[in-house]
Amino acid sequence: MPTVLPDARVSPRFAGISTFCRYPRLQDVAPEHSPVDWAIYGVPFDGGVTYRGGTKFGPRAIRDASQYVKRYHMVHDVDVCSVLSLADAGDAPVSPFDIKGTLDLVTQFAAGLGTPTTRLFAVGGDHSIAYANVRAAWAKAGSPKGGLPLVHFDSHLDTVDTLWGEQYSHASPFARLIEEGFVDAGSMISVGIKGPLNSKSDLDFARARGVTLITHDRIATDAAGALAGFVARIGGRPAYVTFDIDVVDPAFAPGTGTPCPGGLSSEQALGLLRQLKGIRLAGADVVEVLPDRDPSGITAFLAAHVMFEILALDASARAG
Amino acid sequence: MPTVLPDARVSPRFAGISTFCRYPRLQDVAPEHSPVDWAIYGVPFDGGVTYRGGTKFGPRAIRDASQYVKRYHMVHDVDVCSVLSLADAGDAPVSPFDIKGTLDLVTQFAAGLGTPTTRLFAVGGDHSIAYANVRAAWAKAGSPKGGLPLVHFDSHLDTVDTLWGEQYSHASPFARLIEEGFVDAGSMISVGIKGPLNSKSDLDFARARGVTLITHDRIATDAAGALAGFVARIGGRPAYVTFDIDVVDPAFAPGTGTPCPGGLSSEQALGLLRQLKGIRLAGADVVEVLPDRDPSGITAFLAAHVMFEILALDASARAG
Amino acid sequence: MPTVLPDARVSPRFAGISTFCRYPRLQDVAPEHSPVDWAIYGVPFDGGVTYRGGTKFGPRAIRDASQYVKRYHMVHDVDVCSVLSLADAGDAPVSPFDIKGTLDLVTQFAAGLGTPTTRLFAVGGDHSIAYANVRAAWAKAGSPKGGLPLVHFDSHLDTVDTLWGEQYSHASPFARLIEEGFVDAGSMISVGIKGPLNSKSDLDFARARGVTLITHDRIATDAAGALAGFVARIGGRPAYVTFDIDVVDPAFAPGTGTPCPGGLSSEQALGLLRQLKGIRLAGADVVEVLPDRDPSGITAFLAAHVMFEILALDASARAG
Amino acid sequence: MPTVLPDARVSPRFAGISTFCRYPRLQDVAPEHSPVDWAIYGVPFDGGVTYRGGTKFGPRAIRDASQYVKRYHMVHDVDVCSVLSLADAGDAPVSPFDIKGTLDLVTQFAAGLGTPTTRLFAVGGDHSIAYANVRAAWAKAGSPKGGLPLVHFDSHLDTVDTLWGEQYSHASPFARLIEEGFVDAGSMISVGIKGPLNSKSDLDFARARGVTLITHDRIATDAAGALAGFVARIGGRPAYVTFDIDVVDPAFAPGTGTPCPGGLSSEQALGLLRQLKGIRLAGADVVEVLPDRDPSGITAFLAAHVMFEILALDASARAG
Amino acid sequence: MPTVLPDARVSPRFAGISTFCRYPRLQDVAPEHSPVDWAIYGVPFDGGVTYRGGTKFGPRAIRDASQYVKRYHMVHDVDVCSVLSLADAGDAPVSPFDIKGTLDLVTQFAAGLGTPTTRLFAVGGDHSIAYANVRAAWAKAGSPKGGLPLVHFDSHLDTVDTLWGEQYSHASPFARLIEEGFVDAGSMISVGIKGPLNSKSDLDFARARGVTLITHDRIATDAAGALAGFVARIGGRPAYVTFDIDVVDPAFAPGTGTPCPGGLSSEQALGLLRQLKGIRLAGADVVEVLPDRDPSGITAFLAAHVMFEILALDASARAG
Amino acid sequence: MPTVLPDARVSPRFAGISTFCRYPRLQDVAPEHSPVDWAIYGVPFDGGVTYRGGTKFGPRAIRDASQYVKRYHMVHDVDVCSVLSLADAGDAPVSPFDIKGTLDLVTQFAAGLGTPTTRLFAVGGDHSIAYANVRAAWAKAGSPKGGLPLVHFDSHLDTVDTLWGEQYSHASPFARLIEEGFVDAGSMISVGIKGPLNSKSDLDFARARGVTLITHDRIATDAAGALAGFVARIGGRPAYVTFDIDVVDPAFAPGTGTPCPGGLSSEQALGLLRQLKGIRLAGADVVEVLPDRDPSGITAFLAAHVMFEILALDASARAG
């Protein structure tokens, strides 16, 4: 049991200082469980938003919501905490008025967590932070030439070149990651793109680079196959999963900054993640949870389960 | 018209002291409509919860929300109030600091409502109260040896043996009911089980006793058939339906204590209940509505319609 | 103990079908406690509003909130339920699309409650309903020539002549009651008037008729004395108290349709009501509670206590 | 580019006085973009409701929510603002205490907007206002004998004859429009009817007049085909689309006055609208958004996208 | 009547495109009412926050809330719209990722509004924007050497030198304005400072520059006199009023980013503003309204009344 | 600087795993800062409530809210973290279905924290937990014969003998603590008692034991003097402060289980605490925060500041 959880006989799930899913703080992990397989950390940053902010409070809300996440995954038939050594590494440093500066701080922080075998899970924060975590994950994965394969769940492409003079906002992480070689556009799949766009040309960047787009209107027919095919196609290359909570319909995730109606249900989202069974993970993130728009807490709660679902993919692959 | 509703020409649906669906209080039912077919009563108790409480306010919220529930069911083509004599029997007595004591009070209260032909509908309260209502319903049904067949909608199995020294919490009602002979495990079906578990062995109790499990990932393919088959299989034996609102996704039912993302939609839930057409009912409950987490009131509102849907099954069977 | 409350040993305050303060329904009052001293009834009507509606759900919310109101008043040293026989008379009939028609229905309903000694307490609904209850209270008080003395807590004067062609909206009840002789303008005091007006002439009607105005900026210096003096001045004449919850600051009563910042605190409001000690009451109302703008329920909760405070004045006067 | 939007380089989507989708006010439209193709206007009226009001604040909420609606529709591959000249015509005049009076004011106002080629989009307000906008749209469409074909998304039929003495409430618009010849019942389709009814006879009016009913339980199997068939059947006749937000499940649209559980998802609703591809539009409305029950704003946000979806149908037809 | 409001007989307060207090848009003001006395504009910017953001949505929320603000001020006995020509100038341009750049854009925008006699009222946005509006107001006031006298309502001093490398955040406007000569520190009064500080030295900047500090614990005894004395002392010099809504207790203004418990009531705040009677105004702002933390809307509503209260000071001075 | 806080240059107040006021976890305190002066711990328990539960989530909410509490107290002129070594000791163990069992666990846990000089601050949880912390604080204070002096802020006396068979619910802690000798009734003062009671005899227990009662109606005149006098009277005896958040009006603290209208403002509450200047503290608690009724988070935020205010009393006494 490499991940030791609090004893619920004395400390129920509503008790204690909140860490992600009640996993130990990184500094509290016993030597025999080190190095950890995953370092999960928050990035309390919303300086990259283009509309509604507040996602800097995402890590705190997701820590609290995640207290109820248990350890055994029924569909994959795997006890995540038995297979993986998991830890909460706290929050990355941020420089609130400096997007690129923050992203560099985060990359540096993440790169320093654990050992090269430690995988990185970033909890946002706005989607700009994916840039930072992908870079660190890429380095841990051995700096693969051509970049990491990437699975991208989102209503938006996030491939805008520049917005209000800024190249690193949450509208642009995948433009930068592709341009700078951290992501392999030909092995990138974007699932759930939907909603009104500013212009038809918004799709140009991704299409020109060979990103596979599964727009929402094709989800029912194409997504499951595309994801399973993606895993087969990349073979054993370590890949990254980035999950923007706004890929889910506002009914399921009201607490986000740029929601888009007509999205996935939670059931669909979790089901699509399960299609990635067998994937070898290089890192992951879940982003864009905005607690101030989440009066019932269902968005942060879903995000916590998305995190578990991704960890379960890794546990399943390792156990399997 | 055995159930006389207020005249909406003078008392619109937003008017009057709230009783369940505007049905008369039990003591106000006219002799010609007695004994009632169903006594609906609240159980304002949340002493059995293991995480978030507040379900003791469920009956009050559901009474208020149910004012808008009308009487004619389009799909079953039946006017529920024309077929059934229905009444609100008020709330059962409770002993807030004593789970087992409360359950005994509730059973005794319920058993005393109406006559032996009166069916019992309990409105929770947390799921621990199912133990009380099933016992009373079992007695009214003639104390059938081997227990009642039971249809169970829930994200959780509720078959934990003991939690923090307590055998009768909301984690355990079906363990107790099966062990004590009130429910026939071989004729029990649990629909919608999902989410992370503490351990794989959480499923052992139900599986060992022969409970039919339709986990959520098999809902789309198996549930409709399993429910229709269940009705056929039990024949005319009176059966009990217990509906934990958390079987529905948090988007549809945020107001509950242990929600689970990736659940049923309301449409699915109502559709699955309709698969029970033809069932002979011994009793029912709807539980785990937590008004303090329900800012738009949609959870209590859904629960009121679930109640109506179950009553419509009975009306349809009797009319049909 | 003329008012028999449920036995809290078996039915705690969170249990049971909600009636005002857990008082018995009028039809359930025992003969030895009849006729009741006060018939409390709801008026689920918001057809008279000029801005935000939703006050038709006020009676339901106040019934629920009032479950926690106890019986003994510490400052007046009186057990309200020991002195008074109190009952919930249900909701008055309404005709939702017809203001004047509704007001006539309400007056007729109220006039028929109990006996001539029964006092009437109306729970709104919007302030237009004061017109109906004052008329009925006036009749019960022996149709005093010149009308009833009246104490009016409000941010607004409610003496507009006509709005959008309507003479009986919630902007106008006191214009009508004065003109039609049900209220004695010379023995009327309006406390708490504040906020921007459409024009200086908005004050003309009240001033011309001799209404005593205690505008909010004079509350601290003048209100306590003016209210005590009012009681002394009217002597034993039965008087009416109308309490618009918007006299209280939005911090204390967010749930109302035309709030006004800079108002009374709850402490001030309850304190001012206590200045009426010794008043002989002909009737009362509390109005303008809008549950949809009251996410924490504090407005309905305050309104329930205002109701209790007014009843305690009567109990104190009778006991004293 | 007939519709000129604010330059997002200086006025981001969270900036500026809110007009529908940031379209210009009607009085600000440049001569070269006049007459506008669509005049979009609000009807701040909830005087026609039979249960929960507050929809008078719908236009304001939808204006604010619509700031994030962009211009290019991916599925129809059309830039709505490039094809159509669109404008916000402000709010129609209303007479808050007079339903029929308001409806006449609204019809007159709408009829005067733009030129005969200008199409009318009304944003409610309660559903009673459809009566007003359909009449005006009918006149603009050349007063076709027999009335307009109409597509109706709703949980309710809205064909009640009279309620509390009123013929023009939100329960009745289609009864009146059919009776008075503005809608062609034989070319009317109602999609999404569901929930408990007062009586089986509630369906009589629509059935007797030949309205095509797609009740919710038949949505999955029948709706797409029925809508596509409807477009084919009416040929080039200009038709009207009325969209009551309560056709969508309360999870997706909690902010409405008479919600009905078990409804459409947003995804389904938008998908069904897309089935109308090719329709020639005479006018449209989206109604029954109630901001006070919409704590996360998702209902108004969805309504704004429904509006865009309908405009995109027209743009697609004209571009196509 | 230099400010022409919509005719409420056809366009009630809940109708129409929202402008501040229903004042005309600047471009719609009639020539005979030009130049306007006050140009009120929004600054949708929250890039300067150090904790919770979301104030960029303040202007929109305050516009909506202000629809209910009327025109006549009872205490000052002045009809604001009869004395002053008022207009909504829309929102200033912003550059969301560039604080100083935005502040320069705002100053330039504001300086260009109306004529030199036009006074500037900025509606935030976070408090950083005061820097921009004070600069523009200072220029309109004739660029007085030594800067403008300033009245500052706030829980915080906002005189931090640099935070996370940034000199122009909402923690620093008054440090910059004093240093750069736009504000006369010796004629500045800060009212309502309270709450835990990072260090005693936080007070040094203001004290060293001679700012008059009325900390909250001295409000009851000192504030009224200090404010009246301030007006007397500055004589006829035009002065600026900056009002951070967090000076008010969170009970009255929950919707703000850095609340501080133990603050002013709304009644106190409005009362203190009235102590400025006679002040000659050079400009004003109200800032830090955060709609996402304001579920009942009372914060934006209060802010709208604060704006009216400040305008009434000017109207009173001019009328008087 | 015995309490080392995170460096805000890299970890702003919205960052990091939440501990009370960002104080270090007890296990992370450096040797040179040990033993700590105060161990602050949560008690996630609501098993003792008689009405609305949910206070078990109080510690988590207060930890999150307390991130914004700074270190220097302006009125007492003391830097709390410079004087005191403070730590977050995590949450006490609880036994959710066993009140007395939990209280014993908590006492034992608290007694084991730090050394005999370590003071104990408990963060509830419902008021029943005061029983546990007072016992432990009493032991640390040397088990003074006759019990500890106690200052009690509350709307309720909490001296009920037995409720529903339970002697240790949140209605009874002070009855038990007095009877069992842990509190010196003659040196106990209860401030803020108010609201309707079940009976006049509710006051008997406290009065008979000599508890000083400052009922709310006497706050303005008596409380400041009584508290200052209390400190003088007990001399240097270590005393305990228990603060039930419901002493504050629901406008300031909506998030609590048994609110009472007409209570203290936050300003009054903080001011009264400051009257205890000079008190020697044996321990303290703040209880009854119920996050599910606290949509804007102002209750937990106030509670965090109450905690700081009490710690500042101790720092001031030690520094002074």
Side-chain angles (χ1 to χ4, degrees), chain A residues 9-10 12-19 22 25 27-28 44 56-57 60 63-64 67 88 90-94 96, chain F residues 9-10 12-19 25 27-28 44 56-57 60 63-64 67 88 90-94 96:
Chain A
R9 283 171 299 183
V10 294
R13 293 184 173 279
F14 45 79
I17 295 173
S18 294
T19 56
R22 300 165 66 81
R25 296 193 313 169
Q27 61 264 54
D28 297 341
K56 66 163 73 110
F57 291 94
R60 194 169 287 166
R63 279 197 181 89
D64 287 351
Q67 301 303 296
D88 184 330
D91 280 359
V94 294
Chain F
R9 283 170 299 182
V10 294
R13 292 185 174 279
F14 46 79
I17 295 174
S18 296
T19 57
R25 296 195 314 170
Q27 61 264 53
D28 297 341
K56 66 163 73 113
F57 291 94
R60 193 169 289 166
R63 277 196 183 89
D64 287 351
Q67 301 304 295
D88 183 330
D91 281 357
V94 294

Side-chain angles (χ1 to χ4, degrees), chain B residues 9-10 12-19 22 25 27-28 44 56-57 60 63-64 67 88 90-94 96, chain C residues 9-10 12-19 25 27-28 44 56-57 60 63-64 67 88 90-94 96:
Chain B
R9 283 171 301 182
V10 294
R13 292 184 174 279
F14 46 77
I17 295 173
S18 294
T19 56
R22 300 165 66 83
R25 295 194 315 169
Q27 60 265 53
D28 297 341
K56 64 161 76 111
F57 291 94
R60 193 169 288 167
R63 278 195 182 91
D64 287 352
Q67 301 303 297
D88 183 329
D91 281 358
V94 294
Chain C
R9 283 170 300 183
V10 295
R13 293 185 172 280
F14 46 78
I17 295 173
S18 295
T19 57
R25 296 194 312 170
Q27 61 265 52
D28 297 342
K56 65 162 75 112
F57 290 94
R60 195 168 286 167
R63 278 195 182 91
D64 287 351
Q67 301 302 296
D88 183 329
D91 281 359
V94 293

